[in-house]
Amino acid sequence: MISLRIKDETAPLISVILGTAESNGPTPKVEDVYDPKSLEHVWAGTYPLESDMVLEMEAFKQALEKHGVKVYRPETVPNFNQIFTRDIGFVIEDYFIKSNILPDRENELDAIQYILKQIPTEKIITPPVEVHIEGGDVMLWNNHIFIGVYKGVDYKNYITARTNMYGVSFIKSLFPDKKVKEFDLIKSNTEARNNALHLDCCFQPVGTKQAIIYKEGFRDLEDYKYLVNLFGKENLFHITQEEMYNMCSNVFSIAPNVVVSEKNFTRLNQWLQSQGFIVETIPYAEIAKQEGLLRCSTLPLERRY
């Protein structure tokens, strides 16, 4: 059986599901992409090649295994994008919660069935159909559960709006002892620089007291202020619009003092090192063209407490 235990974003990682770029399929058609950054690269003819993405994911796997992490991979679905496992489910405490993902992506859940079969069935939760929630919008920090949402009345018009208020209510009902706080995020179907696809595209805790944040990713200034008050402004690394576009907040913590980051994130990586972090830098810029990065590619199962 596989043990589940996730209470935060940074405790020492024991096991994780890392996506795969094997048999990723051809460059998608314009009408088949799910986010504006992929759309941009399809139009420009710069959409990433499978061979490059396979190499980047292998570098990530090696960084994880270097620190003793057990790495699971999805079974390969031929000609199908399976990179971003964070979208398809997430663990809170010792429960695996399936995401109600876009219908075209059901195969991604099927590809991890061999893992789910090793988890007690009573620990796997399938939300009701009206609940929209993806793992990139769910973030644990001490007694908090942070959830990225889109509150606009035009929610259904945005393919980039992945979590709704039904999702927030559902998590509150499951974990009544947790402080669940939602954050209203900016969305765009066509402009990646004005789109926070998930909460981890504009915010993420690192270590035990710090966080990376993009102020303009929040539709409500009060949501940003909430995090400033909680973490303290001196503990926040503010990123620019261009850094947000390049996915600077989407790093991944192996331990409180170990962060995996993209090798080109010079300013962020220097700050992390100045704060005492060990920074494992890897190439991941090709995968970033799909508006996802390191945290998006992982589904942590167990951390050590």
Side-chain angles (χ1 to χ4, degrees):
M1 299 301 281
I2 291 175
S3 297
L4 302 177
R5 200 172 192 210
I6 301 290
K7 296 182 178 182
D8 61 27
E9 298 295 317
T10 67
L13 186 65
I14 296 173
S15 61
V16 66
I17 306 173
L18 175 67
T20 179
E22 300 282 353
S23 192
N24 200 249
T27 297
K29 297 175 183 175
V30 165
E31 61 268 24
D32 292 335
V33 298
Y34 305 125
D35 66 89
K37 197 168 181 184
S38 293
L39 179 65
E40 178 183 315
H41 286 286
V42 171
W43 278 118
T46 53
Y47 194 80
L49 299 175
E50 178 184 307
S51 56
D52 291 334
M53 295 190 292
V54 167
L55 288 174
E56 290 184 343
M57 297 207 79
E58 181 59 29
F60 195 2
K61 179 173 179 280
Q62 289 176 10
L64 291 162
E65 291 181 340
K66 173 183 173 181
H67 291 272
V69 177
K70 168 68 175 173
V71 179
Y72 296 93
R73 309 300 291 272
E75 294 176 337
T76 302
V77 179
N79 297 310
F80 201 79
N81 189 327
Q82 296 175 263
I83 293 171
F84 299 126
T85 52
R86 183 74 64 158
D87 292 354
I88 63 177
F90 51 95
V91 175
I92 299 179
E93 297 287 346
D94 59 348
Y95 289 93
F96 186 102
I97 300 165
K98 292 182 179 180
S99 300
N100 278 336
I101 51 178
L102 299 168
D104 292 347
R105 299 181 65 183
E106 285 293 335
N107 283 347
E108 291 179 69
L109 263 174
D110 294 341
I112 64 166
Q113 280 303 313
Y114 84 95
I115 298 170
L116 298 182
K117 285 177 180 176
Q118 299 178 64
I119 298 169
T121 53
E122 67 272 15
K123 293 296 183 180
I124 298 176
I125 297 173
T126 302
V129 67
E130 70 274 10
V131 168
H132 295 180
I133 192 162
E134 291 187 353
D137 278 323
V138 180
M139 207 167 278
L140 311 184
W141 191 76
N142 296 340
N143 200 42
H144 280 78
I145 302 176
F146 302 137
I147 302 179
V149 297
Y150 179 66
K151 295 182 180 180
V153 294
D154 54 349
Y155 176 94
K156 68 180 186 301
N157 296 334
Y158 285 97
I159 197 169
T160 53
R162 303 294 177 79
T163 298
N164 60 15
M165 287 303 294
Y166 289 113
V168 176
S169 298
F170 182 68
I171 296 300
K172 284 182 176 178
S173 69
L174 289 177
F175 302 98
D177 295 334
K178 297 283 188 181
K179 186 173 179 59
V180 179
K181 164 65 178 163
E182 77 273 10
F183 298 88
D184 197 9
L185 305 180
I186 59 163
K187 300 290 179 181
S188 172
N189 286 339
T190 56
E191 177 46 69
R193 286 172 176 80
N194 295 323
N195 180 53
L197 188 64
H198 293 115
L199 180 59
D200 59 17
C201 296
C202 61
F203 169 77
Q204 187 179 177
V206 289
T208 57
K209 63 180 181 179
Q210 297 103 324
I212 305 162
I213 195 165
Y214 175 60
K215 180 180 179 180
E216 289 74 18
F218 301 90
R219 294 212 308 157
D220 186 343
L221 185 61
E222 292 305 310
D223 285 349
Y224 163 75
K225 289 179 178 177
Y226 182 93
L227 292 168
V228 172
N229 290 334
L230 192 61
F231 283 81
K233 196 159 191 176
E234 71 281 3
N235 293 317
L236 294 175
F237 182 80
H238 283 76
I239 58 176
T240 65
Q241 184 183 49
E242 197 64 19
E243 287 172 327
M244 185 278 289
Y245 169 78
N246 289 323
M247 310 301 295
C248 262
S249 65
N250 207 270
V251 297
F252 183 69
S253 293
I254 293 179
N257 65 328
V258 182
V259 177
V260 186
S261 181
E262 215 288 326
K263 64 184 180 67
N264 295 307
F265 292 169
T266 308
R267 197 173 75 90
L268 172 64
N269 295 341
Q270 288 175 347
W271 177 78
L272 287 168
Q273 288 168 341
S274 75
Q275 299 293 307
F277 290 95
I278 297 166
V279 184
E280 297 284 358
T281 56
I282 64 170
Y284 227 66
E286 291 303 303
I287 285 172
K289 292 177 179 179
Q290 298 178 87
E291 205 156 349
L293 207 76
L294 297 156
R295 187 179 188 271
C296 293
S297 308
T298 61
L299 200 172
L301 299 174
E302 186 178 14
R303 292 183 182 270
R304 184 176 297 108
Y305 297 96

